[in-house]
Amino acid sequence: MVLYTTPFPNSCLSALHAVSWALIFPCYWLVDRLVAPFIPTTYETRQRADDCCCLQLLCSYLFTPVYLALLVASLPFAFLGFLFWSPLQSARRPYIYSRLEDKGPAGGAALLSEWKGTGPGKSFCFATANLCLLPESLARLNNVFNTQARAKEIGQRIRNGANRPQIKIYIDSPTNTSISAASFSSLVSPQGSDGVARAVPGSIKRTASVEYKGDSGRHHSEEAANGLASGDPADSGSLEDACIVRIGGDEGSRPPEADDLATGGQARNEAGRGSRGQTPNHSQRDGDSGSLGSHSASRESLVKARAGADSSSGEPGATNSKLPYKASVVKKAAARKRRHPDEAFDHEISAFFPANLDFLCLQEVFDKRAAAKLKDQLHGYFEYILYDVGVYGCQGCCTFKFLNSGLFFASRYPIMDVAYHCYPNGRCSDGLASKGALFLKVQVGSTPQDQRIVGYISCTHLHALPEDSAIRCEQLDLLQDWLADFRKSTSSSSAANPEELVVFDVICGDFNFDNCSSDDKLEQQHSLFTRYKDPCRLGPGEEKPWAIGTLLETAGLYDEDVCTPENLQKVLESEEGRREYLAFPTSKSPGAGQKGRKDLLKGNGRRIDYMLYTEEGLCRDWKAEVEEFTFVTQLSGLTDHLPVAMRLMVSAVEEEA
């Protein structure tokens, strides 16, 4: 399949579209600027309360007559541009494909050669997030603002979070096995600016055991592209870097998986007792409030490792590039059960996006300028990106579409096929955007027999109006039908000629319903959940105890308690914090108020952002299992949703003896 790198099939149509949009844009921008000041965010309201002169508000009112005059002058040009722009949309392609040509060791072509479908298996990490990158005036309805700057900041945070060493932290104490067992603002700084592993004084006595191992030097070119500071841990490592940190109450005790770890150089540092309040705050760099220098490290990630302190060099900052590469992936089921007795896989609330993130699915990237800024930032890590997904005008839909679908996809692995479909049943405000589903087929490896190893990913954003359960169920039906057609049309395998091995099938996105609300019972019982597994769900109306909501209360987005990734992480690790800052399931029963209703409702907030997977339709010799599920706080203050991430382990099915 040909991937479209331009929105129109020829340069003549592209030029005509550029001219028509140039005539429309001034009017569009002026309307946006006129409306925005009259929808203040809570952040701006607090600033105005502190500013006795209200200078910012005064400037807004002074410029209003100027904007109005310019708007009136631009209307004839906008009308003329619209007459050309609207019919051109029938020839517009439904997405733009962007590939960053990278011939270095970090490129997608190099990734394909890493896995041949042999050995213990391979993990793939997926993430999804709703970014609320709408035109300025519309974004303010969700209490977020400055769309263009937010897009750049979001891209930097995602890139810096994924482009970091993986860190594995074990808590040996048998009483500290819950999500809130460790607050990482006071535990471990994986590496100081001199390259030495360090422990930060905290409230418990512990031993930090850090092991680094050599790698092939992969992703060095990405470090330069991402502009990491010289003091970051990533400067002495790559995306495959990692450290293993064990925190225990007894000196000299070993982590449960110690027998599985390959031997290598280790640096042990014992930290004394100290007050949690004495932990120094890390300095935040521009665009990275969840930076690698933070003392709040992501925990329970998979572990790989490279280059660390060379015990023979005598220099604390030296790295040992001579150590042979040793994989240290911990996979024992017994060890997992000791860490999480209630679950077969790790789950956490993390201040970072998972390291080595492979696929990123985003929603509500509606603003085209913001999408371009986001793309430029993410290209420092993801080689393949699809953006400006959707249709405009009346193309393929029953109502006129002013906005695209808002879907955005980024991948480290090559994209083979793409399909997009617009939901035909959107209504009211949702009918103005071409919400739909994006289907992708990616290649993740090849066998020694030159069979392609592929996976399928679907990204969607369902209807938002809470009373329209029937519309969302119809859209879920369409999603399944479209996905089945996409898999059938893109498959080049047959029973007699298996040219491809399908190793995963994942659906993710903003479904706009949760699994606990009494108003969403129809969606909770949809057949999609019988074919696809939800790692956070026990059944219709029942969540797993560790699952939390992904929709934040918009009024509290800028509170000091949650304004940084680390602070939001701490708050969500407590039940009181979740009840204060998460939106909770709706209920038909009357209550005194929102806060009073929260005390009566079950669950840990409205989880409307989903990641589903299935084992149906995969290669019969392979299985996909969840290894890790993460609720991410790294975008605190930038969106009203919590991103979620899932790591799947794809491995061969063990033959029965």
Side-chain angles (χ1 to χ4, degrees):
M1 178 179 179
V2 177
L3 298 174
Y4 305 128
T5 57
T6 59
F8 290 93
N10 58 65
S11 58
C12 181
L13 291 177
S14 296
L16 189 58
H17 178 267
V19 171
S20 63
W21 181 246
L23 293 172
I24 296 173
F25 181 76
C27 182
Y28 160 81
W29 185 85
L30 287 166
V31 170
D32 198 36
R33 295 308 307 166
L34 274 170
V35 176
F38 297 97
I39 313 175
T41 64
T42 55
Y43 177 82
E44 292 171 323
T45 302
R46 292 170 190 172
Q47 277 194 325
R48 293 173 186 175
D50 295 338
D51 182 10
C52 58
C53 297
C54 296
L55 183 61
Q56 188 177 11
L57 186 61
L58 182 62
C59 290
S60 298
Y61 286 115
L62 286 176
F63 279 107
T64 297
V66 178
Y67 286 152
L68 277 173
L70 292 174
L71 176 61
V72 172
S74 67
L75 284 174
F77 298 98
F79 179 73
L80 179 62
F82 183 79
L83 292 179
F84 287 96
W85 179 87
S86 182
L88 280 174
Q89 303 314 305
S90 60
R92 185 186 176 275
R93 292 158 171 171
Y95 61 83
I96 301 177
Y97 169 73
S98 176
R99 179 185 178 186
L100 182 68
E101 296 292 342
D102 183 6
K103 299 181 180 179
L111 290 176
L112 295 181
S113 63
E114 290 186 357
W115 191 39
K116 297 294 184 182
T118 57
K122 186 173 178 61
S123 67
F124 299 96
C125 190
F126 308 79
T128 184
N130 184 314
L131 302 184
C132 199
L133 291 177
L134 288 151
E136 183 70 16
S137 55
L138 297 179
R140 288 168 175 266
L141 297 176
N142 289 347
N143 201 27
V144 290
F145 64 108
N146 208 342
T147 295
Q148 307 305 317
R150 280 194 302 117
K152 183 177 180 180
E153 176 84 359
I154 287 170
Q156 289 175 340
R157 290 198 191 183
I158 295 175
R159 185 189 67 192
N160 291 344
N163 188 24
R164 64 185 174 86
Q166 288 181 312
I167 300 170
K168 187 78 169 183
I169 298 180
Y170 302 109
I171 301 178
D172 290 347
S173 171
T175 61
N176 292 336
T177 57
S178 66
I179 292 178
S180 59
S183 181
F184 292 92
S185 62
S186 61
L187 293 182
V188 176
S189 174
Q191 198 168 0
S193 59
D194 57 357
V196 180
R198 289 200 178 103
V200 177
S203 59
I204 59 174
K205 188 174 182 180
R206 57 198 175 274
T207 301
S209 176
V210 183
E211 179 178 1
Y212 299 97
K213 296 178 181 142
D215 201 318
S216 60
R218 166 182 168 191
H219 301 304
H220 284 179
S221 60
E222 288 191 3
E223 294 173 10
N226 291 333
L228 296 175
S230 59
D232 286 348
D235 288 341
S236 61
S238 67
L239 285 177
E240 296 295 329
D241 293 358
C243 64
I244 304 166
V245 180
R246 180 179 57 79
I247 303 171
D250 300 326
E251 295 185 24
S253 62
R254 303 176 69 187
E257 299 83 359
D259 294 333
D260 298 328
L261 300 178
T263 58
Q266 291 186 345
R268 296 183 178 268
N269 296 309
E270 182 176 314
R273 297 179 182 272
S275 172
R276 178 172 176 169
Q278 295 175 349
T279 303
N281 291 329
H282 70 285
S283 59
Q284 296 181 4
R285 289 180 293 279
D286 180 30
D288 186 18
S289 59
S291 66
L292 300 182
S294 169
H295 299 316
S296 60
S298 172
R299 61 188 182 278
E300 315 257 33
S301 301
L302 288 176
V303 180
K304 291 183 183 177
R306 104 170 264 266
D310 186 353
S311 58
S312 62
S313 66
E315 297 180 12
T319 58
N320 183 7
S321 60
K322 298 180 180 180
L323 288 175
Y325 175 80
K326 302 183 181 69
S328 58
V329 179
V330 180
K331 295 178 293 182
K332 276 194 173 181
R336 284 206 189 108
K337 290 179 181 178
R338 281 194 290 270
R339 291 196 301 278
H340 298 293
D342 61 327
E343 193 57 81
F345 56 85
D346 294 339
H347 44 79
E348 62 171 338
I349 302 173
S350 171
F352 298 100
F353 276 87
N356 297 343
L357 181 61
D358 295 307
F359 307 102
L360 178 66
C361 300
L362 303 176
Q363 302 85 47
E364 289 200 13
V365 187
F366 288 114
D367 189 275
K368 292 196 288 187
R369 291 185 297 152
K373 290 180 173 64
L374 182 64
K375 170 185 70 73
D376 292 341
Q377 292 296 324
L378 292 179
H379 257 324
Y381 180 79
F382 295 100
E383 183 175 349
Y384 310 91
I385 289 178
L386 289 175
Y387 68 104
D388 197 10
V389 178
V391 295
Y392 298 91
C394 293
Q395 180 190 356
C397 298
C398 57
T399 58
F400 194 92
K401 305 299 182 183
F402 292 93
L403 297 173
N404 60 27
S405 70
L407 300 178
F408 184 108
F409 178 77
S411 172
R412 292 172 63 205
Y413 289 90
I415 299 172
M416 299 177 65
D417 291 285
V418 179
Y420 160 80
H421 294 278
C422 177
Y423 292 128
N425 57 352
R427 71 176 192 91
C428 296
S429 58
D430 262 27
L432 301 178
S434 59
K435 285 188 174 181
L438 181 66
F439 304 97
L440 305 111
K441 178 182 178 181
V442 294
Q443 183 176 358
V444 296
S446 59
T447 68
Q449 294 78 31
D450 291 330
Q451 290 176 286
R452 289 187 297 268
I453 305 176
V454 301
Y456 287 92
I457 305 169
S458 305
C459 180
T460 189
H461 189 186
L462 300 185
H463 191 73
L465 299 183
E467 64 273 16
D468 291 336
S469 292
I471 290 180
R472 282 188 289 273
C473 285
E474 290 175 13
Q475 292 177 347
L476 290 175
D477 291 338
L478 290 171
L479 176 69
Q480 293 188 91
D481 294 340
W482 289 336
L483 177 55
D485 292 341
F486 178 70
R487 289 198 56 170
K488 183 178 180 180
S489 63
T490 59
S491 176
S492 60
S493 296
S494 63
N497 183 27
E499 296 179 3
E500 295 177 344
L501 303 178
V502 180
V503 293
F504 61 76
D505 184 350
V506 173
I507 297 176
C508 56
D510 181 353
F511 286 9
N512 273 314
F513 66 85
D514 63 78
N515 193 42
C516 292
S517 175
S518 59
D519 295 344
D520 295 334
K521 286 186 177 179
L522 194 62
E523 298 98 312
Q524 295 163 11
Q525 299 171 358
H526 195 273
S527 60
L528 177 72
F529 296 102
T530 62
R531 295 187 54 208
Y532 285 80
K533 299 179 181 179
D534 182 352
C536 301
R537 166 182 161 125
L538 287 173
E542 188 176 6
E543 295 277 78
K544 293 183 179 177
W546 50 266
I548 67 171
T550 60
L551 186 62
L552 300 171
E553 284 280 16
T554 55
L557 291 181
Y558 305 107
D559 288 1
E560 186 177 355
D561 291 342
V562 295
C563 63
T564 67
E566 294 83 4
N567 287 353
L568 182 57
Q569 178 194 22
K570 294 176 192 175
V571 163
L572 296 183
E573 286 173 347
S574 67
E575 184 177 355
E576 296 79 7
R578 292 193 290 270
R579 290 196 174 275
E580 182 173 358
Y581 288 102
L582 290 180
F584 267 66
T586 56
S587 175
K588 294 180 181 178
S589 60
Q594 179 65 19
K595 200 156 190 175
R597 288 199 298 268
K598 284 184 177 182
D599 295 333
L600 301 174
L601 296 172
K602 61 181 179 178
N604 284 323
R606 293 201 70 200
R607 185 176 62 87
I608 66 175
D609 298 273
Y610 288 77
M611 300 209 76
L612 312 176
Y613 73 101
T614 184
E615 293 184 352
E616 293 183 16
L618 305 187
C619 176
R620 63 181 181 180
D621 296 328
W622 292 86
K623 63 179 179 179
E625 295 179 313
V626 177
E627 206 167 41
E628 183 177 281
F629 198 93
T630 308
F631 298 91
V632 181
T633 65
Q634 196 168 9
L635 300 185
S636 63
L638 298 175
T639 180
D640 58 343
H641 285 243
L642 280 182
V644 294
M646 175 178 70
R647 196 181 297 273
L648 281 182
M649 171 58 74
V650 176
S651 57
V653 177
E654 296 181 2
E655 296 182 1
E656 296 182 1

